[in-house]
Amino acid sequence: MTSIDRNASNSCAAWSAALLLAMSATANAGSLGGPLELADEGSFFVNGQLTMSSHPGTAVGGVMQPGHITTGQMYVQFRIPKTVTGPAIVMVHGSGHTGATYETTPDGREGWATYFARKGFPVYVIDHSGRGRSGFDPTPINRARAGELDLKTLPDIQIAPRERAWIFFRIGATYGTPFPGSQFPLEALDQYTSQLVPNAEATLPGGGANTVKALAALLDKIGPAVVMVHSQSGAYGMDLVRARADKLRAFINVEGNCAPVTADEVAKTFAKVPMLSVWGDNSQGATGPNGDERRNGCVATTNAIKAAGGSARLLLLPEAGHKGNTHMLMMDKNNLQIADLIIGWLGENVPAR
């Protein structure tokens, strides 16, 4: 065996040993905080419509054959705990994400989807209509490829680059430099950016409105529930309150838009649904959409709801003693402490049934 072969063999053995050690550490750590007893677990879709696609893709033989496809559907994954002690809760992700937002954290800790189930809440995690497991409509893209559409008419399908995610999601003000005391699991940044996906709902007529309709259909199916939204879906949640206030037991808006609302909407609709607006750290003066304007809109809306006799709270985590949280606070190292704050608020504001 040559010295090169011996070195390669030694390197392979060392790499294998390191991999086994890492796998063992991961297995020992586990992503759950102990056994999780469920009465049921599964998935389904709501609100899909059959649509004739002239260009579903080139079939075998190179022929484009029109056919019906399902569009606008929303994927729903559910976990029903063995012992139910809290209301059902629907978890809705934000821009560039899927339901993975609420699953295992990037560094392998328990996420909110299983933690809330562990605490007795039936949990429903969705992928926006047109996003992730909900699928999208490739027809306009295929038509453009076939030369039937001007390329400029194609939708702008956005995805958050790593550099933009770092700044907009408030890991740090400058890419590569985290905020002092940041709670984000920086060692798992590659795992986090791997879950970012394109906003493919842009291929659907109505875009995000499809998710609002699907969420309404979900509440019609499962009955009244708490709805938790994040970031982009804050606006969707506000429209859902407008459409199904009678089906929302509470509205938890995690760093999403809370405005604008009219005084009439507040009095007739929003004051009837308990609302919690949750904000992490470093939003003051932040670059991008997750800063002063959005947070101040939530301040105004929660104050208006309280003035109208409703139940509303703006939970600024730094003021509550939790510093360093990012925009992705459900993934931060203290994510379960934040979950407990939300669960405590629900216990105080959502009547038992």
Side-chain angles (χ1 to χ4, degrees), residues 88-148:
I89 182 167
V90 178
M91 298 184 175
V92 188
H93 60 83
S95 177
H97 293 77
T98 67
T101 291
Y102 298 105
E103 296 174 1
T104 310
T105 65
D107 58 336
R109 291 171 291 109
E110 183 162 37
W112 285 3
T114 51
Y115 187 71
F116 274 78
R118 183 184 306 286
K119 295 296 183 178
F121 296 83
V123 176
Y124 297 80
V125 177
I126 67 98
D127 283 3
H128 288 188
S129 296
R131 183 96 59 87
R133 290 166 291 187
S134 297
F136 67 98
D137 185 359
T139 305
I141 298 171
N142 291 338
R143 287 190 64 195
R145 185 177 183 275
E148 296 185 11

Side-chain angles (χ1 to χ4, degrees), residues 50-88:
L50 279 180
T51 303
M52 174 59 75
S53 174
S54 59
H55 293 68
T58 304
V60 176
V63 180
M64 189 78 72
Q65 297 178 337
H68 286 89
I69 62 174
T70 302
T71 63
Q73 72 272 29
M74 186 176 77
Y75 174 86
V76 183
Q77 182 184 53
F78 63 89
R79 294 179 179 89
I80 311 299
K82 182 178 179 180
T83 303
V84 174
T85 57

Side-chain angles (χ1 to χ4, degrees), residues 282 299 347:
N282 302 302
V299 171

Side-chain angles (χ1 to χ4, degrees), residues 106-268:
D107 58 336
R109 291 171 291 109
E110 183 162 37
W112 285 3
T114 51
Y115 187 71
F116 274 78
R118 183 184 306 286
K119 295 296 183 178
F121 296 83
V123 176
Y124 297 80
V125 177
I126 67 98
D127 283 3
H128 288 188
S129 296
R131 183 96 59 87
R133 290 166 291 187
S134 297
F136 67 98
D137 185 359
T139 305
I141 298 171
N142 291 338
R143 287 190 64 195
R145 185 177 183 275
E148 296 185 11
L149 287 179
D150 184 340
L151 293 178
K152 292 182 180 179
T153 67
L154 288 177
D156 180 25
I157 300 178
Q158 296 189 17
I159 187 170
R162 186 183 182 104
E163 295 82 0
R164 189 199 306 166
W166 181 283
I167 296 171
F168 278 16
F169 303 158
R170 302 203 313 278
I171 299 172
T174 303
Y175 177 64
T177 304
F179 284 116
S182 175
Q183 294 278 4
F184 191 82
L186 295 169
E187 69 279 11
L189 183 64
D190 289 345
Q191 280 290 313
Y192 170 60
T193 57
S194 293
Q195 71 174 255
L196 299 177
V197 300
N199 288 355
E201 68 271 18
T203 64
L204 303 177
N210 292 280
T211 297
V212 179
K213 294 175 182 177
L215 286 169
L218 176 60
L219 293 181
D220 290 342
K221 178 181 177 69
I222 67 174
V226 175
V227 175
M228 174 190 291
V229 295
H230 175 238
S231 196
Q232 176 195 31
S233 63
Y236 300 169
M238 297 293 284
D239 282 344
L240 183 64
V241 174
R242 294 180 175 100
R244 291 290 191 280
D246 60 321
K247 294 290 181 69
L248 271 80
R249 299 195 62 186
F251 177 44
I252 302 168
N253 195 337
V254 181
E255 295 214 355
N257 279 329
C258 308
V261 290
T262 66
D264 189 57
E265 285 179 325
V266 170
K268 294 181 178 179

